[in-house]
Amino acid sequence: MPLVHWLPKNRVRYAAIYACLTAGIYPPAAPPNQARRELAEMEYRYSVNETFYRSIGTVSSTFAAYPFEVELVPHSRIARAPLGPLRPIADWGVRTFRTATLRTQRLDSEKAIEWRSVL
């Protein structure tokens, strides 16, 4: 359901979910033959109680504090696409509106000191 997660966790979000269902936009795992109102309520409750969004910087900083090395991995479709100078914009769009992948690696204690001194 596009952009629903950007809305406040209140009745506006519920109305957007219901509007998506009315327009025929269903979540991939929607139970067959479920009433629209029940499905809207279920999707709304899930979006409020089970989804949490953090910026890439917040997540990276949390890993780095424990100490992990963190690398942002480009989305596979973007990495293969011939985008030229548009690549940074495409990367930002995918990270912001679709998905972000972080590759993490636990640092050994010697490298951890070095890593922390950089921060």
Side-chain angles (χ1 to χ4, degrees):
M1 293 187 182
L3 306 176
V4 168
H5 64 279
W6 289 81
L7 298 173
K9 293 182 175 185
N10 59 27
R11 298 311 279 176
V12 172
R13 182 181 286 199
Y14 175 84
I17 291 170
Y18 194 86
C20 284
L21 295 173
T22 301
I25 302 169
Y26 282 80
N33 303 322
Q34 186 170 20
R36 187 180 303 148
R37 180 165 283 150
E38 289 174 13
L39 184 56
E41 186 61 36
M42 182 180 77
E43 288 297 315
Y44 172 74
R45 280 195 316 270
Y46 182 85
S47 77
V48 169
N49 299 323
E50 304 295 331
T51 60
F52 305 93
Y53 301 95
R54 305 289 183 267
S55 71
I56 293 169
T58 299
V59 175
S60 296
S61 297
T62 302
F63 273 106
Y66 280 95
F68 280 79
E69 186 173 16
V70 180
E71 174 190 0
L72 184 61
V73 179
H75 191 276
S76 60
R77 288 185 184 160
I78 299 298
R80 292 190 308 262
L83 298 170
L86 297 177
R87 183 172 310 282
I89 296 168
D91 281 337
W92 172 83
V94 170
R95 283 193 315 265
T96 303
F97 299 108
R98 178 85 174 137
T99 186
T101 302
L102 297 176
R103 181 178 295 132
T104 61
Q105 180 178 348
R106 177 89 174 151
L107 300 172
D108 59 36
S109 59
E110 190 174 304
K111 193 170 182 184
I113 294 166
E114 184 180 308
W115 177 257
R116 285 184 181 173
S117 68
V118 173
L119 295 177

